Amino acid sequence: MPIVSALVQKPSSQDRIDIHKIFKDYPEPVAPEAVDAWLDAGELYAASFNDRLLGACRLVAHADYWQVDFLCVRAVTRKRGVAYKLLLDLQALAQQSNRKLRCHVPAAPDLAAQNLLQKMGLHKLELATGGDNQYYWEPTPAAQSLQQAPDGHA
């Protein structure tokens, strides 16, 4: 069965359990109340396998781009292409909607996410304001569409 990604619109109780397990593995603490608020607002995009959520991110729509924050895959399922598939699907959907996809990740310690974004052809755009030491990433003009997963999935 393939990895399927979608916006989490009506989360079941099992979805909520899975989402909270996912964000326990995020490099920085994420308050459970924040995760619940994102779920209730319909801002979580998740990847699943056999009807279990394995990875997720917060997705916020802006006028000309979609903002991806808090990209995370459960530690026990990393290195299997879950984050890559999730971002690849979001990238395709953003292109269909004539929007850019911007990914907001911690500058450190989330080096795995940064490496994945570089492998996907995204480049570091700018240092975010507010002193939070995070970067925006978006596709380079030459890397708008990807066909295959790179070696070493995140």
Side-chain angles (χ1 to χ4, degrees), residues 9 27 29 32 35 58 64 101 124 137 147 151:
Q9 295 181 334
V35 175
R58 181 175 178 224
D64 60 342
L101 185 67
K124 197 179 296 179
W137 295 70
Q147 300 299 321
D151 293 331

Side-chain angles (χ1 to χ4, degrees), residues 3 18 21-22 25 47-49 52-56 72-84 153-154:
I3 295 170
D18 290 347
K21 286 181 182 179
I22 291 166
D25 290 337
S48 65
F49 181 79
R52 295 300 299 268
L53 302 180
L54 305 176
C72 189
V73 174
R74 288 200 58 203
V76 296
T77 56
R78 290 186 182 155
K79 304 287 184 194
R80 296 181 184 165
V82 175
Y84 179 83
H153 298 80

Side-chain angles (χ1 to χ4, degrees), residues 29-107:
V30 179
E33 298 81 14
V35 175
D36 287 333
W38 301 336
L39 275 168
D40 294 339
E43 294 180 343
L44 283 180
Y45 194 85
S48 65
F49 181 79
N50 286 338
D51 296 323
R52 295 300 299 268
L53 302 180
L54 305 176
C57 65
R58 181 175 178 224
L59 182 65
V60 180
H62 295 275
D64 60 342
Y65 66 96
W66 288 349
Q67 178 74 38
V68 172
D69 295 310
F70 299 97
L71 173 63
C72 189
V73 174
R74 288 200 58 203
V76 296
T77 56
R78 290 186 182 155
K79 304 287 184 194
R80 296 181 184 165
V82 175
Y84 179 83
K85 173 68 169 143
L86 192 147
L87 287 174
L88 189 65
D89 289 351
L90 279 174
Q91 209 170 32
L93 290 171
Q95 287 175 352
Q96 291 171 7
S97 298
N98 293 320
R99 291 187 177 160
K100 291 181 180 179
L101 185 67
R102 283 193 179 171
C103 299
H104 195 215
V105 297

Side-chain angles (χ1 to χ4, degrees), residues 84 87-88 91 95 116-117 119-122 142-150:
Y84 179 83
L87 287 174
L88 189 65
Q91 209 170 32
Q95 287 175 352
L116 171 65
L117 296 173
K119 287 177 184 177
M120 291 188 71
L122 281 72
Q144 293 295 317
S145 177
L146 299 172
Q147 300 299 321
Q148 296 180 358

